[in-house]
Amino acid sequence: MFTLPKLPYEMNALEPYISKNTIEFHYLKHHQSYVDNLNKLITGTEFESMPLEEIIKETAGKAQYTPIFNNAAQAWNHAFFWKSMTKNGGGEPKNQLLADIVADFGSFENFKTEFKNAAVSQFGSGWAWLVRNHEGKLSVLKTANADNPLVYGLHPLITVDVWEHAYYLDYQNRRADFVEAFLNHLVNWHNL
Ligand code: MN
């Protein structure tokens, strides 16, 4: 059975960019419900003792497993999203990752523009990601609903949740302002 992973900071740590109120709903209600639903769906199935990543890969694209995929991927995506942010985050990464971003996007500003465009243009619910492919090349990806880069053999480095529940209490319809705050003040480049 899966449990809600510990949030890597206090629930007010990302203020004023993400309020404690948003984190309480997002982490304690939304994220928790994906974990709870997944546990209910896999009880007594072949997926019961699998690691989360394996459940995601095994159920992706198979219509009969859509509810399991959705909840497993959302459980993973949210755990990854919390780790993609930190208090006093934002700005540029250091060393090799910055060099790789400049090599693959032309400049750090180009990367930011591309990431922001992906996040803002994702129609409806979804995610924007910075990913590395198996050759080490970086790219920006947007995915719908629960979809996740692991399914495509890509290695995610950071993500931002652009479901409305991620920003509506703080930014209402202004998704672009939320993504801008994520890039300038929250994104966690440490350990990458
Ligand atoms: Mn979410």
Side-chain angles (χ1 to χ4, degrees), residues 145-181:
N145 300 317
D147 204 11
N148 169 302
L150 298 174
V151 172
Y152 310 103
L154 296 167
H155 175 69
L157 299 181
I158 60 163
T159 193
V160 64
D161 186 345
V162 294
W163 285 55
E164 283 188 345
H165 66 228
Y167 60 88
Y168 217 84
L169 294 175
D170 298 327
Y171 297 86
Q172 293 78 47
N173 61 320
R174 290 174 286 112
R175 187 192 287 186
D177 290 355
F178 166 62
V179 176
E180 191 77 30

Side-chain angles (χ1 to χ4, degrees), residues 26 30-31 34 74 78 81-82 127 161 163 165-166:
H26 199 172
H30 290 274
H31 191 178
Y34 295 124
Q74 283 294 78
H78 281 85
F81 175 50
W82 306 131
W127 301 81
D161 186 345
W163 285 55
H165 66 228

Side-chain angles (χ1 to χ4, degrees), residues 7 9-21 23-24 87:
L7 200 64
Y9 30 73
E10 297 299 316
M11 284 198 265
N12 64 359
L14 306 182
E15 292 193 329
Y17 308 106
I18 298 180
S19 65
K20 184 180 179 214
N21 193 30
I23 297 285
E24 282 175 346
K87 186 178 182 67

Side-chain angles (χ1 to χ4, degrees), residues 5 10 13 16 25 38 63 93 109 113 117 128-129 140 151 159 170 179 185:
E10 297 299 316
F25 278 100
L38 176 64
E109 278 308 306
T113 301
N117 287 346
W129 309 81
V140 162
V151 172
T159 193
D170 298 327
V179 176
H185 302 287

Side-chain angles (χ1 to χ4, degrees), residues 5-189:
K6 192 172 163 17
L7 200 64
Y9 30 73
E10 297 299 316
M11 284 198 265
N12 64 359
L14 306 182
E15 292 193 329
Y17 308 106
I18 298 180
S19 65
K20 184 180 179 214
N21 193 30
T22 288
I23 297 285
E24 282 175 346
F25 278 100
H26 199 172
Y27 172 65
L28 295 175
K29 305 290 184 191
H30 290 274
H31 191 178
Q32 180 75 61
S33 75
Y34 295 124
V35 173
D36 291 346
N37 289 338
L38 176 64
N39 283 333
K40 279 182 210 147
L41 288 162
I42 62 174
T43 299
T45 73
E46 68 200 278
F47 304 110
E48 197 166 9
S49 55
M50 275 186 198
L52 196 51
E53 288 85 353
E54 206 176 323
I55 297 176
I56 291 168
K57 287 175 188 170
E58 289 293 321
T59 57
K62 296 176 184 162
Q64 71 272 33
Y65 296 134
T66 298
I68 294 178
F69 174 80
N70 284 341
N71 285 285
Q74 283 294 78
W76 194 96
N77 293 349
H78 281 85
F80 194 78
F81 175 50
W82 306 131
K83 289 189 287 187
S84 292
M85 298 184 290
T86 186
K87 186 178 182 67
N88 301 320
E92 297 183 0
K94 300 276 179 274
N95 308 323
Q96 191 57 49
L97 181 56
L98 180 59
D100 291 350
I101 286 174
V102 171
D104 290 336
F105 293 92
S107 68
F108 187 74
E109 278 308 306
N110 286 354
F111 154 72
K112 273 179 71 177
T113 301
E114 203 175 313
F115 188 87
K116 195 171 160 180
N117 287 346
V120 171
S121 68
Q122 170 53 40
F123 186 77
S125 297
W127 301 81
W129 309 81
L130 173 65
V131 297
R132 233 186 240 287
N133 71 10
H134 65 282
E135 291 165 335
K137 189 170 165 52
L138 298 170
S139 61
V140 162
L141 182 74
K142 58 182 175 179
T143 61
N145 300 317
D147 204 11
N148 169 302
L150 298 174
V151 172
Y152 310 103
L154 296 167
H155 175 69
L157 299 181
I158 60 163
T159 193
V160 64
D161 186 345
V162 294
W163 285 55
E164 283 188 345
H165 66 228
Y167 60 88
Y168 217 84
L169 294 175
D170 298 327
Y171 297 86
Q172 293 78 47
N173 61 320
R174 290 174 286 112
R175 187 192 287 186
D177 290 355
F178 166 62
V179 176
E180 191 77 30
F182 173 87
L183 287 168
N184 291 337
H185 302 287
L186 298 175
V187 63
N188 182 10
W189 297 115

